[in-house]
């Protein structure tokens, strides 16, 4: 028999627990205390409100370029919720809500997006890597961290998050292969938000799912509704338990959607259909979770408003504190000092522009 089907048997499931119409699969509902559910809710709302404020600040010229996360809160918080303090979190640039949930301060993020080195400094007690801007590069770092944890015989695990575009990079494939071979305790989370800047997913790959790529590397993989925090949490919980038992990596594809622009530097109306955006807005992860909590009598309309109010106050005082701090630390012009011996002409122009801007704002040299 020269030609027979190969016995490839790995199944890839698709998981949804709370759908967009509020239907709940009771059998699959994860066991979470009311306290934990409220913690997740607050983290999602904080992520959303801070994201909205960051967009306003950018439009007012009070921060630099920023990548919004609106619509991806369930994917982010559902995953970060399974990590413990001792575990490692390895994000890319879009993971602001999850970083906050892990303990990063709003002030630090505000400083970062204003170009201050102080905002890139991570508390050594916090096991988070700085956000990675080179797409997919951080996935390899996560595998290495996992291998180190394994050699040291700790039960720490690692989570790396990235977008659909990252799966087209060589680093992604090297990372999955290496993790599988060495059984590195990593949870790979792909936030399939349908777009890599202006490139839609159907022009980027012909595989029907991203989750199926796990099978190629011999590791468990699952596709989840990324706007359903219960599904994301359950898949991440399974993956974390597996990694902690020493059974190696897992790949999770969270199917979600980037409601806003890729970054504040681009205009999605030039490449994307508004109907799609409207369709996805109806699947909003926060309204879906709010309804679930209200149905379970864990949250009330008034309770939800009170949480929102408290969050807005927290954001406001962080913005005020960060803006005051920025007047008293460092000199933004120093960013031009460390890259070149002699500045190229276009960078000299940029330096001059910043000098003029600071002078116009009466901020002198910030020093
Ligand atoms: C190695 C590398 N190539 C190109 C870029 C430019 N770039 C920035 S974000 C991006 C798209 C990323 O898309 P995806 O991985 O899906 O993440 P998303 O932004 O959608 O969260 C690209 C190509 C980069 N930062 N790094």
């Amino acid at each position: 028999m020269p030609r027979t089907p190969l016995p490839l048997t790995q199944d890839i499931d698709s998981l949804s627990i709370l759908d967009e119409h509020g239907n709940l699969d009771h059998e699959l509902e994860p066991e979470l205390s009311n306290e934990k559910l409220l913690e997740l809710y607050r983290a999602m709302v904080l992520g959303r409100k801070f994201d909205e404020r960051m967009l306003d600040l950018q439009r007012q010229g009070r921060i630099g370029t920023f990548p919004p996360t609106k619509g991806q809160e369930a994917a982010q918080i559902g995953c970060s919720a399974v990590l413990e303090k001792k575990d490692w979190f390895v994000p890319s640039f879009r993971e602001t809500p999850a970083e906050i949930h892990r303990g990063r301060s709003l002030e630090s993020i505000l400083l970062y997006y204003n170009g201050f080195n102080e905002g890139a400094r991570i508390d050594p007690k916090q096991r988070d890597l700085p956000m990675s801007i080179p797409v997919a590069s951080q996935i390899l770092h996560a595998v290495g961290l996992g291998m180190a944890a394994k050699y040291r015989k700790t039960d720490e695990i690692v989570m790396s998050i990235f977008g659909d575009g990252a799966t087209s990079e060589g680093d992604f494939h090297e990372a999955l292969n290496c993790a599988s071979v060495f059984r590195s305790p990593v949870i790979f989370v792909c936030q399939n938000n349908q777009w890599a800047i202006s490139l839609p997913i159907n022009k980027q790959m012909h595989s029907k799912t991203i989750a199926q790529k796990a099978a190629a590397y011999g590791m468990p993989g699952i596709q989840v509704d990324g706007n359903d925090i219960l599904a994301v949490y359950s898949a991440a919980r399974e993956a974390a338990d597996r990694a902690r038992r020493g059974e190696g990596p897992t790949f999770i594809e969270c199917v979600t959607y980037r409601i806003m622009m890729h970054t504040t530097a681009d205009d999605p109306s030039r490449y994307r259909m508004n109907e799609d955006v409207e369709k996805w807005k109806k699947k909003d992860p926060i309204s879906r979770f709010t309804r679930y909590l209200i149905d379970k009598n864990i949250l009330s309309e008034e309770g939800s408003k009170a949480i929102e109010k408290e969050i807005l106050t927290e954001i406001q005082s962080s913005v005020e504190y960060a803006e005051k701090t920025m007047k008293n630390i460092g000199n933004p012009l120093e960013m031009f000092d460390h890259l070149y011996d002699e500045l190229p002409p276009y960078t000299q122009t940029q330096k001059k522009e910043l000098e003029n801007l600071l002078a116009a704002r009466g901020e002198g040299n910030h020093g």
Side-chain angles (χ1 to χ4, degrees):
M1 289 272 264
R3 187 165 176 155
T4 52
L6 286 169
L8 299 175
T9 53
Q10 181 168 342
D11 292 326
I12 305 284
D13 289 344
S14 162
L15 179 67
S16 155
I17 298 179
L18 178 68
D19 76 11
E20 61 200 88
H21 309 293
N23 299 316
L24 174 71
D25 188 322
H26 291 272
E27 273 183 28
L28 293 176
E29 186 183 11
E31 272 184 39
L32 286 165
S33 66
N34 291 359
E35 202 182 21
K36 185 76 183 170
L37 286 166
L38 282 175
E39 178 211 309
L40 301 186
Y41 174 75
R42 194 184 187 283
M44 286 170 85
V45 178
L46 176 57
R48 169 73 56 94
K49 294 291 162 203
F50 186 62
D51 193 71
E52 289 172 352
R53 186 69 196 273
M54 290 293 270
L55 190 54
D56 287 348
L57 291 173
Q58 198 281 332
R59 292 309 191 222
Q60 293 161 2
R62 288 159 72 188
I63 61 163
T65 307
F66 170 72
T69 323
K70 189 171 190 160
Q72 296 185 213
E73 295 85 357
Q76 303 230 343
I77 306 301
C79 282
S80 62
V82 305
L83 294 181
E84 295 175 23
K85 268 243 168 287
K86 64 183 173 192
D87 299 328
W88 294 87
F89 183 67
V90 187
S92 68
F93 45 80
R94 204 176 295 282
E95 275 69 69
T96 312
E99 284 193 73
I100 299 170
H101 191 214
R102 287 279 292 162
R104 186 162 172 207
S105 72
L106 306 186
E107 290 85 5
S108 147
I109 296 166
L110 285 155
L111 259 54
Y112 178 89
Y113 282 106
N114 255 298
F116 285 95
N117 286 338
E118 286 80 352
R121 211 166 280 146
I122 291 174
D123 182 342
K125 290 196 286 298
Q126 186 143 354
R127 295 189 149 184
D128 292 19
L129 263 54
M131 67 175 87
S132 166
I133 306 293
V135 170
S137 56
Q138 80 279 13
I139 316 177
L140 286 162
H141 306 158
V143 178
L145 277 170
M147 284 165 70
K150 200 175 154 192
Y151 288 134
R152 290 175 179 161
K153 298 198 184 336
T154 72
D155 69 343
E156 294 152 19
I157 62 169
V158 189
M159 175 176 284
S160 182
I161 308 204
F162 46 89
D164 43 281
T167 68
S168 297
E169 294 282 355
D171 284 0
F172 164 80
H173 299 276
E174 291 170 35
L176 264 69
N177 189 55
C178 199
S180 169
V181 168
F182 292 101
R183 292 201 162 223
S184 182
V186 186
I187 308 172
F188 298 104
V189 180
C190 176
Q191 289 183 82
N192 174 6
N193 68 9
Q194 318 291 325
W195 292 88
I197 311 187
S198 54
L199 190 75
I201 189 141
N202 62 356
K203 289 203 177 146
Q204 192 191 154
M205 64 188 75
H206 285 165
S207 50
K208 287 196 169 60
T209 67
I210 304 185
Q212 73 199 60
K213 296 183 190 199
Y217 296 102
M219 72 176 73
I222 187 164
Q223 183 186 68
V224 301
D225 177 341
N227 284 15
D228 169 6
I229 190 164
L230 301 182
V232 177
Y233 176 85
S234 300
R237 177 83 275 152
E238 259 179 43
D241 293 347
R242 184 179 301 126
R244 251 188 258 285
R245 286 196 304 266
E247 292 171 24
T250 302
F251 181 79
I252 302 173
E253 174 192 2
C254 298
V255 181
T256 180
Y257 192 79
R258 167 165 59 72
I259 296 290
M260 306 306 283
M261 60 291 287
H262 167 75
T263 69
T264 46
D266 84 312
D267 171 10
S269 68
R270 296 181 61 175
Y271 53 79
R272 179 171 92 166
M273 305 293 285
N274 200 38
E275 297 93 84
D276 278 349
V277 184
E278 292 309 314
K279 193 179 88 190
W280 277 92
K281 278 186 184 164
K282 296 201 178 85
K283 303 182 187 194
D284 187 83
I286 297 186
S287 357
R288 198 185 301 185
F289 194 44
T290 309
R291 217 176 320 137
Y292 166 78
L293 295 175
I294 289 177
D295 287 351
K296 277 180 88 83
N297 284 326
I298 295 172
L299 185 70
S300 61
E301 298 280 356
E302 304 77 61
S304 137
K305 284 203 185 85
I307 291 174
E308 205 170 289
K309 199 168 158 217
E310 181 199 303
I311 282 173
L312 291 176
T313 310
E314 180 184 340
I315 294 174
Q316 180 58 23
S317 59
S318 301
V319 172
E320 284 166 16
Y321 180 73
E323 293 195 327
K324 211 162 97 197
T325 308
M326 283 185 281
K327 287 200 186 343
N328 299 315
I329 52 169
N331 178 352
L333 292 170
E334 269 175 17
M335 76 172 92
F336 295 96
D337 292 347
H338 307 297
L339 196 55
Y340 299 104
D341 185 29
E342 197 175 316
L343 283 182
Y346 62 91
T347 322
Q348 285 178 26
T349 312
Q350 286 178 358
K351 186 176 178 184
K352 191 80 213 144
E353 277 174 10
L354 184 58
E355 256 167 8
N356 292 342
L357 184 73
L358 293 173
R361 282 187 185 166
E363 290 177 22
N365 68 4
H366 261 241

